[in-house]
Amino acid sequence: MPAATASQTIGPYWHLIEHKEWADLTRFGAEGERIEVTGRITDGAGDAVVDAAVEIWQASPPADERFPGYGRSATDSDGRFRFVTLKPEAVPGNGNQTQAPHLSVVLLARGLMTALRTRVYFQGEALNETDPLLSSIEDPAERATLIAKPIGAGAWNLDIRLQGAGETVFLEV
Amino acid sequence: MSDTAPFRPFAAGTQPPLDHAAYGSTHLRHPKRALRPLAQTVSETTGPHFTPALFPEIGDLTKQAKGEPLGERIIVAGRVTDEDGRPIPNTMVEVWQANAAGRYAHPRDTHDAPADPNFPGEGRVFTDAQGHYRFVTIKPGAYPWRNHHNAWRPVHIHFSLFGTGFAQRLITQMYFSGDPLLALDPIYHGIADAGARDRLVSRFDLDITEPEWALGYRFDIVLRGRGATPFEEAH
Ligand SMILES: [Fe+2]
């Protein structure tokens, strides 16, 4: 059997498939703790990444007809993305481990030949201390690149740095 | 095979690197640190499930405006399977592309080529129970992209696939056989493995072609397989 098909960049014109409402995961009437998750993406020169597609998938709360669990947001002219979703709860890890609440993130953009993957955790969650991924990252500064901070009622922010000082921890999945 | 079994690593050389000197836009956008290996969990082995009820199909890109777009009508069809040859049924396939003159219906596309008000350039279809998909469109044009002197992208259609787990998420591009620009394209040549490159090239297919109407091209897509290969120790 052939190996998996190769990835190619999403390019600068992927907005032909952009539907802005996809960034609101509550649009089908999902009920629960609504949150807003924002962030700004910058490159190795500190410049805004204005043409990225940011995607999230969350295993909690479980997806159903009213909650897709998946969202896509374009970055704007300042490099910012914004999602409205439901706050995830803890999800099982491997073996008998428990993972702290988090969002899985896929980043796609011109200049990214394959998707970049990372996660968004939430500051203040007790389970962050024992989360298998977070607790495996020894450098607190690196760990912090995965943890969103509260910026208002139900509002969380996590900036993403593709390259250089403060570079986000990206994952090989 | 459990539907939450982890996906296998990619075969060496079959996926492009993030750092690729010949493709200028990678220079400031690739991470300098090595990616951190993550043992897959439900966050990676499960993924979104789309239905045509909430994500309506756009199977004929030539019928999305009042008039017919200019260009050569074509049919693109193929099968989505995993690396074990199992079909991936009922999965969403998104496509987007330039018009016949090589220009996207996008405000940032400034290429000096005519816009086509009858071609928005977006498609969305679902695979059937056997993993087959099909859409009707027009053959896109090549376009310049300023990566280097006299740089032109080979003719391509962009594809987006989800599969059954988020670790299978795939964005790729479909090319056309015989395109002289393929030999010169740093994005295509970012893939080291010649066989993996060649599998991004669609083939003319007389069985997909419809008489007196449109040429057909076949493009099969393979997403990562789950579990250990027969040649690999279970872990
Ligand atoms: Fe393109």
Side-chain angles (χ1 to χ4, degrees), chain A residues 1-19 22 27-28 42-45 47-52 55-57 59 63 65 68-70 72 75 91-94 99 102 104-106 108-117 119 133 136-138 142 145 162-164 166-173, chain B residues 10-11 14-18 20 23 25-44 46-48 50 54-55 81-85 92 94-97 104-106 108-109 120-122 124 143 158 160 162 166-173 175 186-188 190-191 196 199-200 220-224:
Chain A
M1 281 306 300
T5 300
S7 171
Q8 296 275 266
T9 179
I10 199 168
Y13 304 132
W14 69 269
H15 306 84
L16 267 60
I17 60 163
E18 185 196 4
H19 298 274
W22 290 22
R27 69 191 182 281
F28 299 125
T42 50
D43 67 12
D47 292 329
V49 174
V50 302
D51 51 11
E55 299 187 332
I56 57 171
W57 162 248
E65 315 78 60
Y70 164 84
R72 179 192 287 159
T75 52
V91 291
N94 294 319
Q99 304 186 85
H102 65 274
S104 293
V105 176
V106 158
L108 301 151
R110 170 179 63 85
L112 297 180
M113 306 258 278
T114 63
L116 279 176
R117 293 170 179 275
R119 283 184 174 188
L133 171 61
S136 75
I137 304 173
E138 285 175 17
E142 282 187 29
T145 68
L162 296 185
Q163 186 188 85
E167 184 175 300
T168 295
V169 170
F170 293 105
L171 304 169
E172 180 176 12
V173 170
Chain B
F10 292 108
T14 64
Q15 297 292 323
L18 286 158
H20 183 50
Y23 176 17
S25 292
T26 66
H27 297 177
L28 288 170
R29 292 188 167 190
H30 72 273
K32 297 277 193 186
R33 269 204 314 268
L35 302 181
R36 177 174 282 268
L38 176 73
Q40 293 172 37
T41 70
V42 290
S43 298
E44 291 74 37
T46 65
F50 302 92
L54 293 179
F55 298 86
T81 60
D82 70 13
E83 288 174 295
D84 299 306
M92 187 167 79
E94 299 173 283
V95 296
W96 71 101
Q97 62 169 86
Y104 287 86
H106 190 288
R108 284 203 282 261
D109 187 351
E122 175 191 21
R124 182 191 303 138
Y143 59 85
H158 295 267
S160 154
F162 290 86
F166 210 40
Q168 275 181 324
R169 182 84 178 97
L170 174 69
I171 298 284
T172 190
Q173 300 181 27
Y175 301 100
I187 294 180
Y188 178 68
I191 306 158
R199 281 185 287 109
L200 292 185
D220 294 327
I221 297 161
V222 180
L223 301 181
R224 297 170 75 175

Side-chain angles (χ1 to χ4, degrees), chain A residues 110-170:
Chain A
R110 170 179 63 85
L112 297 180
M113 306 258 278
T114 63
L116 279 176
R117 293 170 179 275
T118 184
R119 283 184 174 188
V120 173
Y121 288 87
F122 300 88
Q123 190 179 76
E125 291 284 345
L127 284 167
N128 286 350
E129 304 306 316
T130 53
D131 177 84
L133 171 61
L134 288 181
S135 59
S136 75
I137 304 173
E138 285 175 17
D139 180 345
E142 282 187 29
R143 202 183 312 134
T145 68
L146 301 181
I147 305 176
K149 293 186 169 65
I151 54 166
W156 298 84
N157 188 81
L158 181 63
D159 293 338
I160 294 175
R161 183 77 190 255
L162 296 185
Q163 186 188 85
E167 184 175 300
T168 295
V169 170
F170 293 105

